[in-house]
Amino acid sequence: MTDLARTKDILSELISFPTVSTDSNLDMIQHMGALLYDIGASVDIYADDSGTKANLFATIGPDRDGGILLSGHSDVVPVADQDWRSDPFQLYEADDKLYGRGTCDMKGFIAATLAMAPEFARRELSRPIHFAFTHDEETGCIGAQTLVSELKARGIKPGIAVIGEPTMMRIIEGHKGCCEYTTRFSGLEGHGSAPDRGVNAAEYAVRYVSRLLEIREELKGRAPGNSRFDPPWTTLNIGRVTGGVAHNVIVGKSEVEWEFRPVQSDDYDYVTSEITRYAETVLLPAMRAICPDASIETETIGEVTGLEPMPENEARDLVAGLTGSNDADVVAFGTEAGLFQSLGLSAVVCGPGSIDQAHKPDEYIELKQLSACLDMLKGLGRKVAA
C-alpha cells in the first residue's frame, strides 16, 4: 500500500468521527492513540475536567529535549444548516479531491502524520518526534492551552513545532492573536409602555457594541508601520447579539459575542482597558441608578496569543529545507502555534489544503496537497535519522 493510500484510509477513519466542538472527541483520540501505541510510541491521553474531551501527546524516538512536534486539532466546526452533496462524515472522493468535514481543517494533516509514523518508528532517530492532537481549537484553543501547561509541568521541552493548519504547504511564520468574549447584560424587565422604569439590557448592549465599533476604527490608526498583515491593524468583530422575549417587554437579559485579533500586545491592553473603562464608568452607573442589581459581566472564551515572526527560527529553516520553499508569510487567521511558541520553541504553520475550504459545505482537500505533505514528512524522517 502506498503512503498516499494509507493516508486516505486513515483520513476516512478520522472523518467518520463527528468531532464537532460541542461533542466529545474521545473516540477519535483513543483511535489515534491505539495506532501510535501499536508502533511503539509512548502515548499519553489527557482528559479535560468534563471527561468528554481529551488531548493526545505521543512520542517516537529518544527521551530527550529538542524534539520536533507535529500538531493538529481534532475538533471540527458544525455542519448544521449547510448544504452538502454527500454525508459530511463519510469520506467522498471525486476529481482528485477528498470531501468531508475536517478534510483540510485539519484531519488531512493528522492523517498524513499517522501514516508516516511507522516510518519514523523504523528509524533510529537523533531527536524525538512528538504528536500533539488537541481538542476545542475552534472554540478558543482550549485544548492546546491545557496541553501546553501539561508539557510545562512535565518538563517536556520540544525544540520545534509544526502546526499543520491548511496553508497550501506555504510556510507561515506569523499570525495575529485571537481573543473571544461573551459579555452579558442583566437589567430590569418591565412593560414596554414605561421604558424609563426598567433597565433595558438590549439597549445597553447596543451602546456597548457602539463603543466597540468606535474602538475598531481607532485600532486602524494604531497599525505598526512595519506590519506585514492584511489588514495591517488589529481587527474587531461583533459575532452575535441576543436579547428580549417580546415587542412590548423591556429586555432583562442580553448578550454580545465579540472578538478581536491583535497584531501587537499593546493593542490587547488598549481594547480591554478601553471597553472595561466604558462599561464600568459610563454604562453601569446609569443601569444601577435604576436597578442596583444590574450587571455587566464578560466571560473570556479564549485568549490565544499570536505567532510572532522571529529573526532566528529553526522551525522555519527546517520546513524550508524540507519543502524547497524560501518564502515565509504571515496570515490573519489564528492557530495554536503561538501557544507552542510560548514554551520557548520555534514554530511555523504549514499544512495541506486551503483555508478557503475550511468551515464550508463540501469541504475538501486535494490529493496533490496530501502528497506534498507526505513528501515533507518523509524528508523529516530522513533528516532526523541518526
Side-chain angles (χ1 to χ4, degrees):
M1 179 180 291
T2 66
D3 293 327
L4 181 58
R6 173 65 173 155
T7 301
K8 288 167 57 177
D9 285 349
I10 295 174
L11 181 56
S12 179
E13 294 168 347
L14 300 186
I15 295 300
S16 71
F17 295 103
T19 52
V20 175
S21 299
T22 53
D23 302 323
S24 175
N25 73 332
L26 288 181
D27 289 344
M28 177 176 163
I29 288 292
Q30 291 168 352
H31 174 74
M32 296 188 297
L35 291 178
L36 290 165
Y37 181 82
D38 287 345
I39 62 171
S42 65
V43 178
D44 291 300
I45 293 176
Y46 304 104
D48 72 349
D49 291 340
S50 73
T52 64
K53 304 286 186 71
N55 295 319
L56 181 152
F57 186 80
T59 302
I60 294 173
D63 182 11
R64 50 155 290 194
D65 293 341
I68 298 168
L69 185 148
L70 305 174
S71 176
H73 61 81
S74 64
D75 60 316
V76 297
V77 297
V79 298
D81 300 321
Q82 290 187 341
D83 185 16
W84 286 70
R85 65 174 177 175
S86 61
D87 184 343
F89 298 110
Q90 182 175 341
L91 196 69
Y92 171 76
E93 182 174 354
D95 302 322
D96 295 324
K97 299 181 180 74
L98 300 175
Y99 293 84
R101 172 56 85 222
T103 46
C104 78
D105 186 24
M106 56 182 301
K107 294 181 179 182
F109 176 76
I110 294 175
T113 65
L114 292 173
M116 292 308 302
E119 175 66 20
F120 299 152
R122 285 191 289 269
R123 294 181 178 272
E124 291 290 333
L125 302 180
S126 59
R127 58 198 298 186
I129 295 178
H130 306 291
F131 302 79
F133 303 140
T134 60
H135 66 85
D136 290 326
E137 186 271 350
E138 299 287 4
T139 55
C141 295
I142 297 169
Q145 293 181 64
T146 58
L147 180 60
V148 165
S149 296
E150 185 67 36
L151 297 181
K152 286 181 180 178
R154 294 180 56 190
I156 297 174
K157 299 178 180 178
I160 289 174
V162 179
I163 291 78
E165 290 277 6
T167 68
M168 295 295 284
M169 297 304 296
R170 293 164 47 235
I171 301 171
I172 303 302
E173 63 176 344
H175 64 67
K176 298 181 181 182
C178 184
C179 303
E180 299 179 344
Y181 307 94
T182 298
T183 302
R184 298 182 175 91
F185 300 79
S186 179
L188 178 64
E189 289 184 337
H191 197 282
S193 64
D196 292 343
R197 297 179 185 177
V199 177
N200 193 310
E203 292 180 7
Y204 283 94
V206 169
R207 292 174 64 182
Y208 187 88
V209 168
S210 295
R211 179 63 187 127
L212 285 174
L213 295 181
E214 290 175 353
I215 292 171
R216 182 167 74 181
E217 291 304 305
E218 293 161 10
L219 289 168
K220 294 180 180 179
R222 295 173 56 88
N226 61 348
S227 177
R228 295 163 57 192
F229 292 104
D230 181 18
W233 51 77
T234 292
T235 60
L236 190 152
N237 180 63
I238 309 301
R240 187 167 178 260
V241 181
T242 61
V245 294
H247 292 78
N248 61 349
V249 177
I250 297 170
V251 179
K253 304 287 184 182
S254 187
E255 288 188 358
V256 177
E257 296 179 4
W258 60 284
E259 55 108 64
F260 70 99
R261 297 174 183 254
V263 298
Q264 53 192 348
S265 59
D266 286 351
D267 283 354
Y268 168 84
D269 296 334
Y270 181 75
V271 173
T272 54
S273 63
E274 283 295 310
I275 196 61
T276 299
R277 182 195 60 78
Y278 181 71
E280 292 180 350
T281 65
V282 177
L283 299 184
L284 269 177
M287 296 170 72
R288 288 176 174 170
I290 299 172
C291 176
D293 293 331
S295 65
I296 301 174
E297 297 180 353
T298 295
E299 177 187 2
T300 299
I301 305 303
E303 291 180 333
V304 180
T305 184
L307 175 62
E308 182 179 355
M310 305 295 289
E312 302 294 328
N313 188 327
E314 185 187 3
R316 177 191 62 210
D317 296 342
L318 172 67
V319 175
L322 297 175
T323 62
S325 173
N326 292 319
D327 296 325
D329 299 322
V330 299
V331 291
F333 64 83
T335 78
E336 298 169 332
L339 291 167
F340 289 111
Q341 188 182 53
S342 71
L343 283 171
L345 47 76
S346 63
V348 292
V349 184
C350 182
S354 170
I355 195 67
D356 292 341
Q357 302 305 322
H359 300 189
K360 295 180 179 179
D362 295 328
E363 177 184 346
Y364 68 82
I365 190 169
E366 296 178 332
L367 290 176
K368 64 181 180 181
Q369 281 289 300
L370 279 181
S371 295
C373 183
L374 288 168
D375 288 342
M376 179 186 74
L377 294 171
K378 291 174 190 176
L380 175 62
R382 294 190 294 268
K383 182 75 174 180
V384 299

